[in-house]
Amino acid sequence: MPINDAIIFQNVRFTYPETKGPVLKNVSFKVKKGTWISLIGHNGSGKSTISKLVNGLLLPDSNSHSQISVAGLNLNSKNIWNIREKVGIVFQNPDNQFVGATVGDDVAFGLENRGVSRQKMIKIVKQVLSEVGMLDYIDAEPANLSGGQKQRVAIAGILAVEPEIIILDESTSMLDPSGRAQILKIIRRLMKAKDLTILSITHDIDEASMADDVIVLNDGQILDQDTPLNIFSKVEMLQRIGLDIPFVEKLKLKLKEMGIKIPKELQTKDELKQYLCQLDLKK
Ligand SMILES: Nc1ncnc2c1ncn2[C@@H]1O[C@H](COP(=O)(O)OP(=O)(O)OP(=O)(O)O)[C@@H](O)[C@H]1O
Ligand SMILES: [Mg+2]
């Protein structure tokens, strides 16, 4: 039977040895295979903890009824290595992700332990570097690259081992808007071409809006899961838990205060502009 859900969390509880109580409490959600999910929530709400559970860097509390399934495999100490092969994480700080002396070596690193022949390795490294537009830098030193280029190399390193799921844990937060847009465009293209599932953890509303679904986390609990359109129009909920709201929603609030009601479906600046231009405000 084909697997429909790439990630399933059921009643997941997680406690760090150092924390008094659990930092995740009864967390349940599903991510359909081939979809893009954004995870949003305030600092310390448990987002990175979730990402580390997805790739088996952490295991849920053993004395709980937690169940995690990733790419059709139940997460347990026996399956950890199988699961890690299926999930790649791109972290926030690109500088902490390099192990190789050159870009090419770095991308090859994940392949070296898998008994891949040298000839095949060179072919894969070139292929994935060209997929992220970094083939020209194959002999460059990672330290000399820009932040955006480093993140592209990190993505190439992950692609080399053919994951099913890619987690972006604030991977674009240190990039400027154009670097961020480039990375997101690359990820979207790869997602379609390779049927990848994307879990993006982000504070950036534009990035979260690209998702099929948004999960809202608050103090280690899931508060909501819905389309970006629906989530970002729940302005009161977002403000209550200290999250930013999109520019267009802020503008809608101001217009509402002025007595001008804007339909919920209008989400982009352009749609709003068009709508306002055709209103007869003198009436
Ligand atoms: N290794 C650790 N040991 C002990 N406590 C930890 C550890 N890592 C995280 N925590 C605690 O667990 C909670 C959740 O942390 P987590 O890193 O998952 O949050 P986050 O939502 O990713 O936050 P941010 O937006 O700041 O990255 C926080 O209270 C944090 O202090
Ligand atoms: Mg985090």
Side-chain angles (χ1 to χ4, degrees), residues 157-172:
I158 285 169
L159 291 176
V161 294
E162 300 189 329
E164 294 181 26
I165 298 164
I166 293 187
I167 300 176
L168 307 170
D169 191 348
E170 315 226 10
S171 324
T172 65

Side-chain angles (χ1 to χ4, degrees), residues 32-90:
K32 264 210 200 91
K33 193 173 181 322
T35 62
W36 181 313
I37 297 291
S38 278
L39 187 53
I40 61 172
H42 60 76
N43 291 132
S45 56
K47 305 180 297 295
S48 294
T49 305
I50 288 184
S51 74
K52 288 172 190 158
L53 284 161
V54 171
N55 91 331
L57 279 174
L58 300 172
L59 288 172
D61 290 356
S62 53
N63 59 351
S64 68
H65 297 290
S66 313
Q67 281 203 325
I68 297 180
S69 148
V70 177
L73 299 169
N74 281 329
L75 176 67
N76 54 40
S77 50
K78 280 187 215 134
N79 266 340
I80 280 185
W81 291 103
N82 289 337
I83 285 180
R84 278 190 203 163
E85 292 203 340
K86 295 181 187 290
V87 185
I89 305 190
V90 187

Side-chain angles (χ1 to χ4, degrees), residues 195-209:
D195 196 24
L196 296 169
T197 304
I198 308 293
L199 180 67
S200 102
I201 296 172
T202 182
H203 284 109
D204 181 63
I205 299 217
D206 294 329
E207 183 171 333
S209 300

Side-chain angles (χ1 to χ4, degrees), residues 167-198:
I167 300 176
L168 307 170
D169 191 348
E170 315 226 10
S171 324
T172 65
S173 64
M174 291 172 89
L175 309 181
D176 61 26
S178 106
R180 172 179 297 151
Q182 269 182 17
I183 293 285
L184 295 175
K185 205 170 139 197
I186 289 169
I187 293 280
R188 188 157 281 292
R189 177 167 47 75
L190 292 167
M191 175 190 165
K192 294 248 162 14
K194 297 173 188 273
D195 196 24
L196 296 169
T197 304
I198 308 293

Side-chain angles (χ1 to χ4, degrees), residues 121 145 176:
M121 193 145 61
L145 302 178
D176 61 26

